Amino acid sequence: MSDVKESKSKGGKVIVCDGNEAAAWGACLSRPDMVAVYPITPQSSLVEYLAKFIAEGKMDAELMDVEGEHTVLSVLHGACLAGARTYSATSAQGLAFMFEPYFRTPGLRLPMVVSLVTRDAVSPTCVWGGQQDAMTVKEVGWIHMYCETQQEILDTIPIAYKVAEHPDVMLPVNVNHDGNYLSYGVARVELPEQELVDSFLGEKQVNWHACLDPERPMAVDPLTGGAGGAGPATFVRYRKGLCSGMQSALTVIEEAHADWGRRTGRFWSPLIEEYRMDDAEVALVTIGSMTGAAKDAVDEARLDGRKVGIVKIKTFRPFPIHRIAKALSRVKAVGVVDRAVNFGWNSGPVFQEVLAALYHLPVRIPAMSFIGGLAGADITVEHFARVVDRVNRLAAGEASSLPVWLNEND
Amino acid sequence: MGAAFDTIAFKGSLCDGCGDCMTACSSAKKGASRLSIVPGASEKVFELAICRQCGDPKCAMVCPSGALAKDGGSGVIGWDADKCIDCLLCTAGCAYGGIAVDPGISRVAKCDMCDGDPACVKSCPTGALEYRKAGSIYNEYGGKEDLFVPGLSGCLGCNSELIMRHTMRKIGRNSVLATPPGCIPGMGSVGYNGKTGTKVPVFHPLLTNTASMLAGIRRHYDRIGRKDIVVMALAGDGGTADCGFHAVSGAAERGDKILYICVDNEGYMNTGMQRSGTTPYGSWTSTTPVGEHMKGKTQDAKNLPMIMAAHKCRYVATASTGYMEDLYEKLDRAVEASFEGFAYLHIYSPCPTGWRVPSSKVIEACRMSVESNFVTLWEYTPKTGIRFTRSPDNALPVSAYVKMIGKYRHLSQDQLDHIQAKVDEQVALLKVMAADSPPPPAAHRPPAGSSTPAGGETSQTSLRREISRN
């Protein structure tokens, strides 16, 4: 497959676009057979771009304009089982309405790609950015990758197909980008050549394992389980297989990112990105577009002589437990910044995940939860400066079991 | 496999003894009528004496000259005038009064089915006589492969299983079949623990997304040029009328090219007979029980096929297993339409377990539901509008149907009146919409049992008296 020589940059055309258009270009270049669309803020312009690309002949895909997100994913399930590569995007309430087929997708091992333009979920009624939607579905069995920039959104979508359709994975992927900041924020984006993406992806592999085709008749998803014996045992094997696919994805995601990097010159950190962690004494953990402001804050703190670093999570499912544990193993304190709430733990959801990863270390490293950026709020460099201060105090012994709500007094 | 034959069927409960059939036969055969309407066990009940075209005809067995023989093609027992020696043994051999002496010619005469277009049936104003072509269906499809496993675990007498087997036997292997949660997969069509129950690609959609999944399948097969696959559902009423309706409506609005068959057993029978949106008024279900404060369902059923017709689908039809010829014709048209747009077939399906009907009475319940207009048989295309495929005129009172069904046994007279009023309302509305429908078989006649208008006896009523006295 690697018939492209390594090069520093193999960029095609350069455009200026927002994150939703970048996602649409990423989908377009991946040549799905079918896209199903239904609008929801802040995703709407993304599906409008898809419809426009199809109308203008830039994209050769079936456009399914359907009556709701439940059907968005359902028509794509059908198409995928008939052999189609598929794409869609949604947010918040749309994801909630889509949940029933969404819940089913990993179990059917359908290698679909769906962008989540993350948004805070009703109620209180809110149409602005936040990651509550994506974080709420983290246990369903989809792979979740969070992007930091418009270019990364575009590049991650072909990478996501490569991962999803890998025979060791065969799982659906959500490529997530923050509503508002990335969906509407405009930046310079390089469009890879179509041939580059075609060669990177190769032949689609979507329904070799399960299909609805009169030439290969089979029952898809018979009842599995029962009171004991072979039924539940079969069910267990399906569940274990799904877990195994998830774990395989850790390697496949790294390989796919490396392959993409060799072809385009853009080497995105596949699982986590470590920023100024070499000599860091305290660390922030971030996810998504907030990381840019966090990096600025860390740079400023470094100018003051404070040794702060960042571990940015790109791949949240499967959770890169050992990478994160290793990256944080030498610091004295950790501050995890979430754009969502884990209500049951009175903290952020990423915080809980990081705590579980830290359990794998021989030493106990103190950690704190910071929650910001809800309902479209900005997490500014100043907010991160406060996080850095607080984590330094934590390293000095000033612990707290309560989360810090960054925008509470804005 | 032995051949089956078309036949003249008689429904005594619809016969008012007018004798038009005898007149028509006599006229067609230019002699005595070869069938007789005779008084039955009680007043206003009539029976029919006609040749049954028996499989092992006793008339032919006793005939010493070989003048009577069953035709292998049509199934008609023919009489050969040249061979007949007029011994009349056949008239004694037949237990059904199917062969008798025509006094005009002093020889025997018997029904020859008018070459498949019987004059008596055409003349019957009440629908008591029907020409049934189910034999042709058996001959054409009976030898085709059954596409389900033999051991489906449906209840005894399950009508849905009958529908499944007939439908897939007719449609064949080049199909993709969705069977959303309900009795149809519940009895094992999608199989258990890695094994299938069907020989075609089959799957459980969610209860809520059958039409959507099918739309995706069809669209992709069209895209890659495999346009001859029948992409279809055998779905229940719950997943169609209730929680899956958005998907059905959306696919219909988009004109997705699928065949959606709703098998309507008026509730969630698989989960224990709970109420659905198509459960009729007054019906007992496990969530509309009968007690001091509730007497069954308090709302009317939604009429799903009419709703689908309002979507201007390529094809919409209602059907019943009590009328197999009609069902098969509609299946043909629905399959054909499904290559052009959304095709919707609504099959009413009594559930012996959930409706409390003996399994031996299920088909009779199907027929009674239609004869009482509780179920109407019609089809719709955007060009033709609604067209009845069986006239709703001369219907039996709805009580004749309702009394067969255990889930209605608690009904008060008020509830019965409500059901009758709603049935009448529904038929009246359909008639308005079906302006283009062909006329009923004969002039409108009051239903059996209704009183004769005062003043003057008609020739028909006098004839009825005549017959009664004989």
Side-chain angles (χ1 to χ4, degrees):
Chain A
M1 193 88 72
S2 291
D3 56 342
V4 176
K5 291 192 181 108
E6 289 193 21
S7 66
K8 195 153 172 89
S9 175
K10 294 279 284 181
K13 211 167 83 176
V14 172
I15 60 168
V16 173
C17 70
D18 64 19
N20 279 352
E21 186 177 350
W25 277 112
C28 177
L29 288 163
S30 303
R31 293 191 194 264
D33 296 290
M34 185 181 290
V35 296
V37 301
Y38 189 83
I40 182 167
T41 303
Q43 159 266 36
S44 301
S45 62
L46 197 169
V47 297
E48 289 168 6
Y49 282 118
L50 294 171
K52 185 163 174 279
F53 291 169
I54 291 169
E56 291 172 350
K58 288 193 180 82
M59 187 173 183
D60 174 22
E62 296 295 314
L63 175 66
M64 293 293 276
D65 264 302
V66 300
E67 76 284 355
E69 290 87 352
H70 191 283
T71 286
V72 163
L73 205 54
S74 301
V75 295
L76 298 183
H77 277 189
C80 189
L81 286 163
R85 182 179 280 168
T86 62
Y87 177 77
S88 191
T90 192
S91 296
Q93 306 312 118
L95 178 61
F97 186 37
M98 184 187 278
F99 188 69
E100 195 193 12
Y102 182 87
F103 195 74
R104 187 185 206 193
T105 319
L108 284 170
R109 307 298 292 269
L110 299 180
M112 314 174 81
V113 174
V114 172
S115 287
L116 298 183
V117 187
T118 53
R119 185 188 121 177
D120 250 308
V122 172
S123 275
T125 301
C126 172
V127 295
W128 295 279
Q131 294 172 351
Q132 196 70 47
D133 50 1
M135 285 296 162
T136 301
V137 296
K138 63 191 165 71
E139 307 308 354
V140 173
W142 285 62
I143 290 168
H144 280 238
M145 292 195 271
Y146 286 77
C147 300
E148 184 181 337
T149 65
Q150 288 81 352
Q151 183 74 60
E152 191 178 11
I153 296 168
L154 186 151
D155 289 348
T156 302
I157 290 173
I159 290 171
Y161 282 104
K162 185 89 172 178
V163 172
E165 295 178 13
H166 193 285
D168 294 342
V169 179
M170 290 302 283
L171 284 171
V173 181
N174 283 141
V175 179
N176 303 342
H177 65 265
D178 285 300
N180 297 65
Y181 288 95
L182 285 174
S183 65
Y184 304 147
V186 170
R188 174 190 184 279
V189 169
E190 281 183 27
L191 284 184
E193 298 286 352
Q194 183 66 59
E195 296 72 33
L196 183 154
V197 181
D198 290 347
S199 146
F200 168 74
L201 283 177
E203 287 291 307
K204 71 178 175 209
Q205 301 288 341
V206 299
N207 71 341
W208 52 269
H209 65 306
C211 70
L212 289 168
D213 183 345
E215 289 175 4
R216 285 191 287 154
M218 65 172 78
V220 171
D221 218 358
L223 283 168
T224 305
T234 307
F235 191 91
V236 166
R237 287 198 293 279
Y238 280 124
R239 280 287 190 259
K240 277 188 76 177
L242 207 160
C243 285
S244 160
M246 267 282 176
Q247 289 309 302
S248 302
L250 287 167
T251 310
V252 174
I253 288 167
E254 288 196 290
E255 288 168 357
H257 278 75
D259 188 7
W260 183 260
R262 283 193 297 276
R263 291 164 193 268
T264 63
R266 291 188 294 277
F267 290 88
W268 304 105
S269 301
L271 304 176
I272 60 168
E273 178 189 345
E274 298 182 42
Y275 183 76
R276 305 191 80 161
M277 282 298 293
D278 285 348
D279 60 344
E281 292 175 354
V282 299
L284 311 186
V285 177
T286 62
I287 187 165
S289 66
M290 69 168 79
T291 310
K295 285 173 179 172
D296 285 351
V298 164
D299 289 347
E300 285 183 15
R302 287 268 176 178
L303 290 176
D304 294 342
R306 288 183 289 176
K307 291 182 175 172
V308 188
I310 297 171
V311 173
K312 180 196 82 171
I313 296 172
K314 175 164 189 182
T315 299
F316 184 67
R317 283 291 179 270
F319 197 68
I321 304 166
H322 299 291
R323 287 299 174 85
I324 287 175
K326 183 161 176 261
L328 297 174
S329 61
R330 294 187 305 276
V331 300
K332 294 176 184 156
V334 177
V336 183
V337 185
D338 271 281
R339 286 195 73 178
V341 182
N342 183 330
F343 299 101
W345 282 94
N346 193 26
S347 69
V350 180
F351 173 70
Q352 287 302 325
E353 304 273 337
V354 171
L355 284 190
L358 292 176
Y359 181 81
H360 290 260
L361 296 173
V363 292
R364 184 173 177 279
I365 299 173
M368 269 186 69
S369 176
F370 298 84
I371 298 170
L374 305 185
D378 201 358
I379 314 182
T380 62
V381 176
E382 289 69 33
H383 287 114
F384 275 110
R386 279 165 48 200
V387 174
V388 171
D389 285 346
R390 186 65 191 83
V391 178
N392 273 312
R393 299 210 310 271
L394 177 65
E398 192 187 326
S400 169
S401 61
L402 295 175
V404 175
W405 300 79
L406 292 174
N407 304 100
E408 190 177 13
N409 299 310
D410 282 359
Chain B
M1 173 162 288
F5 305 108
D6 297 339
T7 186
I8 294 169
F10 176 67
K11 182 83 178 177
S13 58
L14 289 178
C15 180
D16 63 2
C18 71
D20 285 2
C21 53
M22 295 162 64
T23 310
C25 180
S26 174
S27 164
K29 299 301 175 192
K30 298 183 174 55
S33 173
R34 298 176 182 188
L35 77 169
S36 301
I37 299 292
V38 294
S42 58
E43 200 177 346
K44 293 184 182 169
V45 173
F46 301 94
E47 289 177 3
L48 174 70
I50 189 173
C51 173
R52 305 288 207 266
Q53 321 292 353
C54 297
D56 56 341
K58 297 291 186 291
C59 58
M61 283 168 64
V62 299
C63 176
S65 64
L68 288 161
K70 191 169 177 72
D71 181 86
S74 67
V76 171
I77 295 161
W79 173 67
D80 187 333
D82 295 336
K83 288 184 182 168
C84 178
I85 57 169
D86 301 321
C87 68
L88 306 188
L89 277 174
C90 53
T91 63
C94 178
Y96 305 109
I99 188 163
V101 176
D102 178 346
I105 55 172
S106 297
R107 303 199 74 180
V108 292
K110 70 174 291 300
C111 170
D112 61 4
M113 309 264 279
C114 296
D115 291 329
D117 188 20
C120 54
V121 173
K122 285 188 285 188
S123 75
C124 177
T126 65
L129 283 171
E130 282 186 76
Y131 189 59
R132 300 269 179 80
K133 295 178 182 168
S136 309
I137 293 172
Y138 179 79
N139 292 338
E140 191 172 347
Y141 296 102
K144 294 208 169 171
E145 185 180 19
D146 188 334
L147 292 173
F148 292 100
V149 291
L152 290 178
S153 58
C155 303
L156 190 66
C158 176
N159 195 57
S160 299
E161 182 179 350
L162 188 74
I163 291 168
M164 290 160 64
R165 292 190 188 277
H166 274 275
T167 302
M168 295 317 295
R169 195 193 290 259
K170 175 159 175 59
I171 289 174
R173 280 178 176 264
N174 197 22
S175 52
V176 173
L177 173 63
T179 67
C183 292
I184 292 172
M187 69 177 83
S189 59
V190 192
Y192 293 93
N193 298 327
K195 296 193 171 73
T196 184
T198 310
K199 294 180 182 175
V200 300
V202 65
F203 67 107
H204 279 117
L206 301 168
L207 186 56
T208 47
N209 75 355
T210 306
S212 311
M213 284 189 73
L214 292 177
I217 293 166
R218 162 60 82 197
R219 188 74 83 90
H220 187 65
Y221 278 130
D222 274 4
R223 175 180 171 83
I224 61 175
R226 295 178 63 186
K227 295 173 189 246
D228 60 344
I229 300 171
V230 179
V231 177
M232 61 174 294
L234 282 165
D237 49 285
T240 307
D242 293 347
C243 61
F245 182 68
H246 68 101
V248 178
S249 177
E253 181 265 330
R254 289 188 302 272
D256 287 320
K257 299 170 187 175
I258 59 178
L259 168 58
Y260 195 104
I261 299 176
C262 175
V263 178
D264 181 4
N265 57 18
E266 300 179 350
Y268 295 87
M269 297 304 153
N270 188 57
T271 44
M273 310 154 212
Q274 296 84 7
R275 163 211 200 274
S276 82
T278 67
T279 302
Y281 171 89
S283 174
W284 170 91
T285 69
S286 57
T287 52
T288 56
V290 176
E292 200 176 325
H293 298 287
M294 192 195 286
K295 308 282 182 200
K297 193 183 176 195
T298 53
Q299 303 85 11
D300 297 306
K302 68 166 90 169
N303 189 321
L304 209 49
M306 283 177 82
I307 294 169
M308 295 318 293
H311 282 70
K312 301 187 178 69
C313 300
R314 194 77 178 194
Y315 185 73
V316 178
T318 62
S320 165
T321 46
Y323 294 82
M324 273 295 184
E325 309 93 313
D326 184 68
L327 171 56
Y328 267 74
E329 283 173 18
K330 285 169 176 171
L331 261 177
D332 261 339
R333 289 196 278 272
V335 169
E336 194 180 328
S338 76
F339 294 116
E340 304 292 331
F342 193 91
Y344 180 83
L345 187 55
H346 193 99
I347 309 181
Y348 296 93
S349 187
C351 166
T353 309
W355 293 18
R356 298 172 176 173
V357 185
S359 54
S360 61
K361 297 281 185 189
V362 166
I363 297 299
E364 195 178 333
C366 288
R367 295 193 69 86
M368 289 299 280
S369 70
V370 172
E371 286 170 12
S372 65
N373 278 351
F374 194 87
V375 164
T376 44
L377 301 180
W378 52 267
E379 64 184 359
Y380 163 91
T381 70
K383 280 185 185 159
T384 61
I386 286 178
R387 189 183 75 86
F388 286 106
T389 56
R390 185 184 183 283
S391 170
D393 293 333
N394 306 315
L396 294 173
V398 79
S399 57
Y401 163 65
V402 166
K403 74 182 181 195
M404 292 183 67
I405 314 293
K407 67 176 177 171
Y408 298 118
R409 71 165 68 103
H410 59 280
L411 289 189
S412 65
Q413 190 57 47
D414 282 352
Q415 286 177 301
L416 257 180
D417 292 346
H418 175 98
I419 295 172
Q420 183 68 63
K422 288 294 169 184
V423 163
D424 293 346
E425 201 175 273
Q426 185 81 11
V427 169
L429 177 57
L430 275 166
K431 280 183 169 176
V432 170
M433 296 169 76
D436 208 22
S437 284
H444 175 78
R445 297 274 301 275
S450 64
S451 59
T452 308
E457 231 179 31
T458 64
S459 60
Q460 284 159 353
T461 50
S462 59
L463 176 61
R464 196 178 303 142
R465 290 238 182 90
E466 194 67 27
I467 292 167
S468 303
R469 273 198 298 274
N470 291 339

